[in-house]
Amino acid sequence: GENVEQHPSTLSVQEGDSAVIKCTYSDSASNYFPWYKQELGKRPQLIIDIRSNVGEKKDQRIAVTLNKTAKHFSLHITETQPEDSAVYFCAAIKTSGSRLTFGEGTQLTVNP
Amino acid sequence: GAVVSQHPSRVICKSGTSVKIECRSLDFQATTMFWYRQFPKQSLMLMATSNEGSKATYEQGVEKDKFLINHASLTLSTLTVTSAHPEDSSFYICSAREGGGRGSPLHFGNGTRLTVT
C-alpha cells in the first residue's frame, strides 16, 4: 500500500518568514495530493491540493509543488502569520482507489 | 462548500457502555464515507470505509464487532463503539468525498472527542 512520509515533524518560524513542509510517497500510481490544516481539537481543513498532471499550484500565500519522478511534494507558506500555526498533514491517493493515506503531520508554530 | 456534520462533538461514557456517532453530509450525497481515529499528537488513522447499502470495509487491526458501522442512506453513516474501554478514548473523525469521484476533495466532520472512564 501507499506510504507517506512527512518532514519536519515540528517547524518554528518567525512571523513573515516562509515555511516549507515536505512529503514523499511510495506508490507511483498516486495522483492526487491534498494538504490539510488542523487546529487543536478541530477538524482538518483542506487548504490546497494538486493533481499529478500539474507541477505547481498556488493560492495566495500557499503553494504546493509536485515532483512525480522523485515522488515528493511540498507545501510552501510565504509571509507566515501567527494564525498559520497549526498541524499540517499531507496526503496521497490514487484516484482508482479510495484510501487516502496521511503523513504524520507537521506542527507549525509562527512566532510573532 | 460541502459540509459534513458530525455529532456529538464530545461524549464521556463509562467503561462497558456503547456510544453512537453520527456523520451526515448536508448538501451532497456520499456513497462512501470514511471513519478515522486520531490519538493526541498523531496523524489520522483510517479505521474503515463506510459504503452505502453494503458492509463497511475495515482496515487491518480494527475490530469490526467493536466498531459497528452503518451507512443506511446516502447522507448518513454511523459509528457505534461497543463496550467501550478507556483505551478507546480518542478523537473520531468522519469524512466524505464531495462529488463521489475518488479524486474529489475529502471533507471532514468536526470530530467527536470520546472519553471512556
Side-chain angles (χ1 to χ4, degrees):
Chain A
E2 175 66 276
N3 181 47
V4 178
E5 294 189 356
Q6 183 172 346
H7 302 279
S9 57
T10 60
L11 178 60
S12 182
V13 300
Q14 288 299 121
E15 182 176 2
D17 289 350
S18 295
V20 180
I21 302 171
K22 298 181 179 181
C23 288
T24 60
Y25 60 98
S26 61
D27 190 346
S28 57
S30 290
N31 53 9
Y32 175 64
F33 308 93
W35 284 88
Y36 290 86
K37 174 184 180 181
Q38 186 180 28
E39 297 178 1
L40 189 62
K42 297 187 177 180
R43 77 173 103 188
Q45 298 267 18
L46 178 69
I47 56 171
I48 196 167
D49 57 12
I50 191 167
R51 300 181 192 279
S52 61
N53 58 347
V54 176
E56 183 175 357
K57 184 176 178 180
K58 189 173 182 180
D59 182 5
Q60 299 182 343
R61 296 187 297 110
I62 297 173
V64 58
T65 59
L66 170 66
N67 184 325
K68 286 192 296 181
T69 303
K71 289 189 284 188
H72 66 70
F73 55 113
S74 301
L75 177 71
H76 304 253
I77 306 174
T78 58
E79 300 173 35
T80 55
Q81 301 166 3
E83 50 265 39
D84 294 330
S85 297
V87 178
Y88 291 81
F89 292 98
C90 63
I93 187 174
K94 53 185 176 183
T95 52
S96 60
S98 63
R99 194 175 186 279
L100 191 64
T101 303
F102 285 90
E104 290 300 310
T106 296
Q107 173 68 62
L108 173 65
T109 302
V110 181
N111 301 301
Chain B
V3 177
V4 175
S5 174
Q6 185 174 340
H7 294 280
S9 59
R10 189 178 297 269
V11 59
I12 301 172
C13 70
K14 292 185 177 180
S15 186
T17 60
S18 294
V19 174
K20 179 185 282 189
I21 303 169
E22 291 189 349
C23 180
R24 294 179 186 273
S25 56
L26 296 185
D27 54 0
F28 64 99
Q29 293 183 333
T31 55
T32 303
M33 292 185 177
F34 304 90
W35 288 95
Y36 292 84
R37 180 167 54 185
Q38 186 178 34
F39 292 107
K41 297 187 178 182
Q42 293 189 21
S43 188
L44 295 92
M45 300 302 298
L46 181 64
M47 299 176 64
T49 302
S50 173
N51 304 297
E52 187 268 336
S54 64
K55 293 183 179 180
T57 304
Y58 289 82
E59 294 297 304
Q60 190 173 7
V62 178
E63 300 175 58
K64 58 182 67 176
D65 293 332
K66 181 168 184 63
F67 299 99
L68 301 179
I69 291 172
N70 184 282
H71 194 153
S73 78
L74 287 170
T75 59
L76 173 64
S77 175
T78 61
L79 168 68
T80 301
V81 183
T82 63
S83 186
H85 292 284
E87 57 265 31
D88 298 324
S89 298
S90 186
F91 192 50
Y92 293 86
I93 312 176
C94 70
S95 66
R97 183 166 286 118
E98 179 184 2
R102 288 164 174 162
S104 302
L106 195 65
H107 296 278
F108 288 87
N110 277 324
T112 298
R113 175 74 59 192
L114 171 63
T115 303
V116 184
T117 61

